[in-house]
Amino acid sequence: MRRVVVTGMGMVSPLACGVEPTWKKLLQGSSGAGRISRFDPGEFATKYACEINFGNGTHGSFHPDDWMDAKDRRKVDDFILYGIAAAEEAIKDSGWKPRSKTEKERSGVMIGSGIGGLGSIAKTALLIEERGPRRVSPFLITNMLADTASGLIAIDLGLKGPNFAVTAACATGGAATGEAIS
């Protein structure tokens, strides 16, 4: 049996961006739940959710510009942006900087995502209804696929090893960890 060691952690959560600020808020008993702000929840029975708080990066808010430039962000679903941020934080936390070809080939990416780019799917469905199929983005398919995040993370970090994603509903985290170990 091979040993597996977690050497770095990264996190983007409704509480905060980053492991340290998230942990601090957990210990304070903070909640990541709040009134939905990304759309008008007026017609829905539930008006609360756990959204990622966008901000300028202070007090644990998620500042997208810290992780990706605006031009590239327009081309990707939010789950990809969150994955890149968490992966970059984990790599930084680990201190691992693969430099040689062998080190890069032995370093891979495993992403677990409950569904992939649901936001892109929903926006495109509405766009087709309102303006027709000719308005569909050429990036739709890549934004729907859960493994787009792992691919872009691998490119971003220069990793050449195994690279794929697991989508297994509520078991995604456990399944991704198990697959990464094997």
Side-chain angles (χ1 to χ4, degrees):
M1 175 186 267
R2 293 182 353 200
R3 288 184 167 213
V4 177
V5 179
V6 175
T7 57
M9 295 186 296
M11 182 179 287
V12 177
S13 81
L15 285 174
C17 178
V19 174
E20 297 260 344
T22 299
W23 184 245
K24 184 177 178 183
K25 288 186 177 189
L26 277 171
L27 292 177
Q28 293 170 349
S30 298
S31 171
R35 184 165 173 85
I36 294 170
S37 64
R38 303 268 171 92
F39 60 88
D40 179 10
E43 305 230 358
F44 294 94
T46 300
K47 297 176 182 19
Y48 290 85
C50 293
E51 298 176 313
I52 303 298
N53 296 311
F54 281 47
N56 63 6
T58 59
H59 307 295
S61 66
F62 183 76
H63 188 48
D65 292 343
D66 290 345
W67 309 103
M68 187 182 286
D69 67 54
K71 180 182 174 188
D72 289 336
R73 276 198 326 269
R74 285 191 297 272
K75 298 175 187 173
V76 301
D77 197 274
D78 284 348
F79 90 98
I80 296 169
L81 176 62
Y82 304 150
I84 287 172
E88 286 185 8
E89 185 182 55
I91 287 287
K92 181 180 176 185
D93 185 49
S94 76
W96 175 243
K97 294 178 184 168
R99 289 178 170 69
S100 71
K101 181 180 177 189
T102 301
E103 288 174 339
K104 290 177 181 182
E105 288 173 349
R106 295 194 64 189
S107 301
V109 179
M110 167 58 74
I111 286 288
S113 175
I115 195 165
L118 185 58
S120 293
I121 296 167
K123 287 176 191 172
T124 301
L126 292 173
L127 183 67
I128 290 170
E129 182 72 28
E130 293 169 5
R131 300 185 67 196
R134 293 192 181 274
R135 301 297 300 168
V136 173
S137 168
F139 302 107
L140 173 63
I141 299 301
T142 56
N143 279 321
M144 289 171 42
L145 303 173
D147 63 349
T148 298
S150 63
L152 290 177
I153 290 165
I155 291 167
D156 184 49
L157 298 174
L159 306 179
K160 310 285 186 191
N163 173 346
F164 61 107
V166 171
T167 302
C170 294
T172 297
T177 303
E179 288 297 324
I181 291 168
S182 60

